[in-house]
Amino acid sequence: MSEREQCGDFEIYQDEEDWWVVKNTITKVIIGKFLKKDDALEKIAAFLQSDDETAESESVC
């Protein structure tokens, strides 16, 4: 299993089956599993962009 990356309220990591997992660290809910890390990062970006309190200049991970 790879290192976990923290990005806002989310973490991304690769599980034992080589899926990239996006998990909400507050609710502990898995948001999705992706074949590519870039796809997982795009999902996190979508969640951060939909957050009204997130500044437009804030970057993704």
Side-chain angles (χ1 to χ4, degrees):
M1 198 155 43
S2 69
E3 281 187 40
R4 294 173 184 258
E5 287 185 42
Q6 188 73 28
C7 186
D9 292 338
F10 302 95
E11 71 177 347
I12 181 173
Y13 60 92
Q14 195 170 21
D15 68 10
E16 56 277 345
E17 296 173 355
D18 291 331
W19 287 94
W20 288 96
V21 179
V22 175
K23 183 177 179 180
N24 185 308
T25 57
I26 295 172
T27 63
K28 307 297 185 204
V29 173
I30 293 176
I31 305 300
K33 293 185 176 187
F34 304 89
L35 292 174
K36 298 178 186 175
K37 185 176 182 179
D38 287 342
D39 293 340
L41 290 171
E42 285 180 23
K43 186 67 168 182
I44 291 173
F47 276 107
L48 291 177
Q49 287 176 354
S50 68
D51 183 3
D52 294 334
E53 298 176 13
T54 302
E56 288 183 24
S57 62
E58 187 175 336
S59 65
V60 177
C61 303

